[in-house]
C-alpha cells in the first residue's frame, strides 16, 4: 500500500490519519508543493492520495500556482477508482476538481464543533464509523457547493457540506478529523497569536474544551481514518480479483 500525502503548509500533522496508515503498514510518500516539491504527473505510482489542509484558499492560483495541478491529480485518482481523501483545504480542492464552486470566507469555524451525519452518511462505509452527531475539530473560513454526483455525508449550521463522497472511495471532509488533542496542542503552540485573533479567549479555555470534547473527537477521528484506509486495501483486492 503506497500512499501519496500532499502537505500544503509547513505545520501539517497527519495525526489520526497517520496512525491508521501506520497500522496498515502503508508506505507514505510526502509531497510538499508549497515548499517547491513537484506534484506527480499521475496516479501510476500510488494506490491512494491524501491532501491535507493549509492557509491557502482553493482558488488562490496566483500565489500558489500548483493548485490546479493538484486538483487535477486528485480527480485522476478518483476517476481511476483509487482512494482519495481531502481534508479541509483538501476537500475544497476536491470540490473544485469535480466542478463545484468554492465559497471564499463564507463559513468560518474554529475549535471543537458538532457535526451530524446525514442519512447517507449513516450508511456510508467510512463516515458511519462516527456517531450520528459528534464533536470534531474545525479550522477554516471557506466552504464549497456540493459537486455533481457527490453524496453529502455530514453537515452542520456553519457549513452545509462537512463531508462528501464521490464514487466508491473519493472523500472530502471540511472538518479536521486527523486533529487529535496532540495535534491541536501543536497548533496552539505554533500559532497562538493567530488563534487569539480568530477566537479571543479560546487559548485560555483550551484545556477545559479539550477535556470536554477531545476524547470523543480523538476516537471518532481515528475510527474514520481506519475506515478510509480500509478502502485502499479493498480496491487492491478488487484489482487482484
Amino acid at each position: 500500500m503506497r500512499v501519496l500525502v500532499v502537505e500544503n503548509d509547513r505545520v501539517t500533522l497527519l495525526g489520526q490519519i497517520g496512525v491508521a496508515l501506520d497500522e496498515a503498514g502503508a508506505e507514505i510518500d510526502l509531497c510538499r508543493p508549497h515548499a517547491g516539491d513537484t506534484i506527480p504527473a499521475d496516479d501510476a505510482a500510488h494506490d491512494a492520495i491524501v491532501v491535507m489542509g493549509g492557509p491557502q484558499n482553493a482558488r488562490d492560483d496566483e500565489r500558489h500556482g500548483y493548485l490546479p495541478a493538484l486538483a487535477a491529480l486528485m480527480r485522476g485518482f478518483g476517476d481511476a477508482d483509487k482512494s482519495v481523501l481531502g481534508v479541509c483545504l483538501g476537500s475544497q480542492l476536491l470540490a473544485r476538481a469535480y466542478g463545484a464552486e468554492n465559497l471564499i470566507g463564507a463559513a468560518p469555524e474554529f475549535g471543537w464543533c458538532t457535526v451530524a451525519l446525514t442519512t447517507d452518511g449513516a450508511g456510508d462505509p467510512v463516515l458511519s464509523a462516527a456517531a450520528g452527531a459528534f464533536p470534531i475539530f474545525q479550522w477554516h473560513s471557506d466552504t464549497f457547493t456540493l459537486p455533481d454526483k457527490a453524496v453529502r455525508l455530514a453537515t452542520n449550521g456553519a457549513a452545509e457540506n462537512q463531508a462528501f463522497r464521490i464514487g466508491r472511495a473519493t472523500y472530502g471532509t471540511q472538518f479536521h478529523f486527523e486533529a487529535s488533542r496532540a495535534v491541536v496542542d501543536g497548533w496552539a503552540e505554533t500559532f497562538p497569536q493567530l488563534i487569539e485573533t480568530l477566537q479571543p479567549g479560546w487559548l485560555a479555555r483550551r484545556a477545559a474544551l479539550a477535556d470536554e470534547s477531545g476524547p470523543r473527537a480523538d476516537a471518532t477521528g481515528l475510527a474514520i481514518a481506519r475506515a478510509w484506509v480500509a478502502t485502499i486495501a479493498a480496491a487492491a483486492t478488487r484489482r487482484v480479483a
Side-chain angles (χ1 to χ4, degrees), residues 139-153:
W139 190 347
H140 65 95
S141 58
D142 303 339
T143 186
F144 47 84
T145 60
L146 194 68
D148 290 343
K149 299 182 180 179
V151 179
R152 182 182 297 113
L153 303 176

Side-chain angles (χ1 to χ4, degrees), residues 2 4 16 30 37 53 59 71 92 100 104 107 113 151 165 167 179 236:
R2 191 175 181 190
L4 176 65
Q16 305 295 59
L30 284 177
D37 289 354
R59 297 283 179 176
Q92 297 158 11
I104 308 304
C113 304
V151 179
R165 187 193 75 245

